[in-house]
Amino acid sequence: MKKIANVEELNAMRDKLKDKIGIRHDVPNNIQVVVGMGTCGIAAGAPAVLSAVTKEVGRLNLQNVTVAHKGCQGNCENEPIVEVIIPGKEPVTYVNMNSQKVTKIIGEHVVGGKPVVEYSKYGRIKGFE
C-alpha cells in the first residue's frame, strides 16, 4: 500500500474514490440523496444503505443526482436515515432504511417524483397527504 505523502495526495485520492463510488458534491440543482453516517447510523447499517444508493444511481445512470452523506441526525432510533432533496420541493426523510427500500425510493421518488410515504418518518409527507 502506498504511503500518502501530503494533503494534496490525500485530496486527490478522495476525489478519485468519490468519482468511483458515485458520490458527487457541489453540483447545483441536482437532486440530493443524503445518507446519515453518524455512529448510530453506521451501527444500524448505513454503509450498506449508502452502497445501495450509489449502486442504484449508477445502475440507472442518473446524472442529475448527487449522493452524499452527513453525520449524526439526532434520530438514533430511526437509523439508517436517508433524505431526498429535490430542488423546489420539501425534503423527505426516510427512516429504518435498507437496501430493498433504497431501490423503491430511487425508482419512485428520485426518478418518478412521487415520495414513498410508508417509508417516511411519520408515515406522511407534507404536500402528499
Side-chain angles (χ1 to χ4, degrees):
M1 177 178 243
K2 181 184 172 192
K3 187 174 181 177
I4 298 170
N6 55 46
V7 172
E8 290 79 22
E9 283 186 19
L10 178 63
N11 288 337
M13 180 183 288
R14 178 201 62 208
D15 292 341
K16 183 179 179 182
L17 289 172
K18 282 197 304 187
D19 290 340
K20 183 177 180 181
I21 64 170
I23 296 178
R24 300 181 298 273
H25 296 285
D26 304 327
V27 181
N29 299 315
N30 261 8
I31 295 170
Q32 296 178 36
V33 180
V34 183
V35 179
M37 292 288 288
T39 305
C40 291
I42 291 170
V49 170
L50 179 61
S51 177
V53 170
T54 57
K55 285 178 185 174
E56 190 66 8
V57 167
R59 184 183 75 78
L60 296 172
N61 195 29
L62 301 176
Q63 299 298 312
N64 66 329
V65 176
T66 298
V67 178
H69 57 81
K70 65 181 179 179
C72 179
Q73 302 201 56
N75 201 357
C76 301
E77 67 276 4
N78 291 310
E79 293 285 359
I81 296 173
V82 173
E83 187 173 31
V84 175
I85 305 165
I86 298 176
K89 302 200 178 203
E90 290 287 326
V92 176
T93 301
Y94 294 106
V95 298
N96 302 310
M97 292 299 299
N98 60 42
S99 300
Q100 294 76 31
K101 290 178 179 180
V102 164
T103 302
K104 187 170 183 175
I105 287 169
I106 299 298
E108 292 185 19
H109 189 179
V110 174
V111 173
K114 183 178 180 199
V116 183
V117 176
E118 64 266 27
Y119 299 160
S120 69
K121 184 172 180 179
Y122 300 108
R124 63 184 188 283
I125 298 170
K126 185 177 179 180
F128 292 91
E129 281 102 4

